[in-house]
Amino acid sequence: MRRGWKMALSGGLRFCRRMLAWVPVLVIVLVVLWSYYAYVFEMCVVTVANTVEKVIYLAVYHALFVFFIWTYWKSIFTLPHQPHQKFFMSYGDKERYENEERPEVQKQMLLDIAKKLPVYTRTGNGAVRFCDRCHLIKPDRCHHCSVCSMCVLKMDHHCPWVNNCIGFSNYKFFLQFLAYSVLYCLYIATTVFQYFIKYWVGDLPNTRSKFHVLFLLFVACMFFVSLMILFGYHCWLLSRNKTTLEAFSAPVFLSGPDKNGFNLGFIRNFQQVFGENKKLWLLPIGSSPGDGHSFPMRSMNESQNPLLANEEHWEDNEEDGRDFSAIIPKFKFMYAGNVQQRWNSVLPCLAR
């Protein structure tokens, strides 16, 4: 009986927690709905007198509004991706791991399992990254979200404003949401400003629309500043190919920690999130390359021999019929000749 009450109480608390998690989203939705009413009806329909100006304002506003709502919806309802089944421990391995009491043996068991998987990152002490709650070997850049109660591929952070975990599946949508939010607030602030001044100095009558227009400018500026800071930070993370978690704690590879371990250069870093199809960069449509389990690493490229890395270029030149064996001696001869000429010009000065 007591156990039943405890289970019911626990289930009720979980339900309440899930409902409370939607409060920040509800706040954002209410603010956006009010901003739509205030801008479309109180500002454009009532306050703006010029018909052409009114049409232009409404057309641009609704275009931004559609993309803003679209990206926000995708950020909220795109479920975070979990690791593939092959990263989970089998029933036999799980049983042996839990029954083993020696830490060094457990560590070796994880190493043996990880050898079969594309895993290159480690914990701070060099051990395999293992989630004892999900019972899986964590893929690179994967972390366990305590709010979602699961491991999330390329986890960035859990965002309460979208009530979702931001990771591989929806990081592009989250960045687009921030970008369109900044544009949305900036557009409202710039178009409302002149009417704010007119209300402030008394050029327009003191009607109900005055409150909406004045408050609309303050809210737009407030959200613009806060969103611009957050958007700028994530642009910096994007340019370095980092997640928020990796910015605070550098990923550890087999060779040691490297804060720029996944940095491939700005263009390739951008393509790691938005893909190579430029037509999809502005649209909230999934285009991130890969499956979220493995990622190209800078250390692998740099660990290669430079001469071997350039081998393809040499082979291409040979296929073009270029004989570098004939060019190199000529270069050496020209270099030697230049040195000899300079030495001859210096000798008379030394003789003086």
Side-chain angles (χ1 to χ4, degrees):
M1 188 69 177
R2 291 181 179 179
R3 184 177 180 182
W5 278 105
K6 289 182 179 179
M7 292 179 63
L9 181 61
S10 177
L13 291 175
R14 285 197 299 268
F15 176 78
C16 292
R17 188 178 66 177
R18 285 197 294 267
M19 292 299 101
L20 290 174
W22 287 101
V23 171
V25 177
L26 180 61
V27 171
I28 296 297
V29 170
L30 292 176
V31 171
V32 171
L33 290 177
W34 168 80
S35 70
Y36 183 88
Y37 166 79
Y39 188 87
V40 173
F41 294 99
E42 299 295 343
M43 216 286 283
C44 291
V45 175
V46 177
T47 305
V48 179
N50 189 300
T51 304
V52 176
E53 183 181 4
K54 186 181 300 187
V55 171
I56 294 174
Y57 281 0
L58 288 174
V60 178
Y61 172 82
H62 281 92
L64 289 174
F65 184 79
V66 168
F67 279 98
F68 167 66
I69 295 299
W70 190 5
T71 54
Y72 190 46
W73 177 275
K74 295 284 285 187
S75 299
I76 295 174
F77 295 105
T78 301
L79 298 178
H81 286 180
Q82 294 181 268
H84 190 271
Q85 192 63 35
K86 66 180 181 180
F87 288 87
F88 285 81
M89 269 187 159
S90 64
Y91 179 79
D93 291 336
K94 177 183 175 182
E95 194 174 42
R96 286 195 299 271
Y97 181 83
E98 292 178 346
N99 293 333
E100 181 58 57
E101 298 179 354
R102 293 169 294 178
E104 62 277 6
V105 178
Q106 288 182 326
K107 183 177 180 181
Q108 186 60 43
M109 290 174 62
L110 295 179
L111 282 172
D112 295 337
I113 298 173
K115 289 179 181 178
K116 307 173 185 177
L117 301 170
V119 176
Y120 301 97
T121 53
R122 295 290 186 265
T123 62
N125 58 5
V128 174
R129 299 172 63 244
F130 175 72
C131 180
D132 55 359
R133 283 164 288 188
C134 298
H135 296 98
L136 58 82
I137 304 294
K138 293 181 183 179
D140 295 341
R141 316 183 83 174
C142 174
H143 297 274
H144 185 89
C145 178
S146 58
V147 180
C148 298
S149 299
M150 66 179 182
C151 286
V152 178
L153 294 178
K154 196 187 176 183
M155 179 179 173
D156 188 90
H157 69 288
H158 185 91
C159 181
W161 300 108
V162 299
N163 191 25
N164 199 3
C165 206
I166 305 302
F168 174 78
S169 63
N170 58 357
Y171 187 61
K172 174 189 175 182
F173 308 145
F174 179 74
L175 283 177
Q176 291 174 326
F177 162 65
L178 292 179
Y180 287 119
S181 299
V182 169
L183 292 176
Y184 180 78
C185 295
L186 180 62
Y187 180 77
I188 290 177
T190 53
T191 54
V192 167
F193 183 73
Q194 60 173 320
Y195 296 97
F196 169 83
I197 297 298
K198 290 180 180 180
Y199 275 119
W200 190 265
V201 299
D203 291 344
L204 292 175
N206 190 9
T207 61
R208 181 184 65 177
S209 300
K210 178 180 179 180
F211 165 78
H212 290 283
V213 171
L214 297 181
F215 197 59
L216 191 60
L217 179 65
F218 286 121
V219 173
C221 291
M222 179 184 67
F223 275 95
F224 172 77
V225 173
S226 58
L227 287 169
M228 191 64 199
I229 295 173
L230 182 61
F231 179 61
Y233 175 68
H234 277 279
C235 285
W236 177 79
L237 292 176
L238 176 67
S239 66
R240 299 293 190 273
N241 199 3
K242 292 182 179 180
T243 63
T244 300
L245 295 175
E246 292 168 352
F248 286 95
S249 179
V252 179
F253 298 87
L254 296 175
S255 57
D258 185 1
K259 62 181 181 179
N260 294 316
F262 296 102
N263 191 350
L264 308 173
F266 177 78
I267 296 178
R268 292 189 63 190
N269 292 343
F270 182 87
Q271 291 175 344
Q272 283 293 300
V273 176
F274 287 86
E276 297 182 1
N277 190 349
K278 297 179 181 179
K279 297 179 181 179
L280 300 179
W281 286 356
L282 299 179
L283 300 176
I285 300 174
S287 59
S288 301
D291 58 1
H293 292 84
S294 59
F295 303 89
M297 293 176 288
R298 182 177 64 93
S299 58
M300 277 194 167
N301 296 330
E302 291 184 350
S303 64
Q304 295 176 351
N305 190 316
L307 294 177
L308 296 177
N310 295 327
E311 184 178 0
E312 294 179 358
H313 300 288
W314 287 95
E315 290 176 356
D316 292 339
N317 290 329
E318 289 177 359
E319 290 176 0
D320 292 339
R322 299 177 183 177
D323 188 6
F324 283 92
S325 61
I327 297 176
I328 294 175
K330 290 181 180 179
F331 177 78
K332 291 181 178 179
F333 177 78
M334 293 170 61
Y335 178 77
N338 291 335
V339 173
Q340 185 64 35
Q341 290 178 2
R342 293 183 180 181
W343 178 250
N344 291 338
S345 63
V346 173
L347 284 177
C349 298
L350 294 176
R352 294 177 186 175

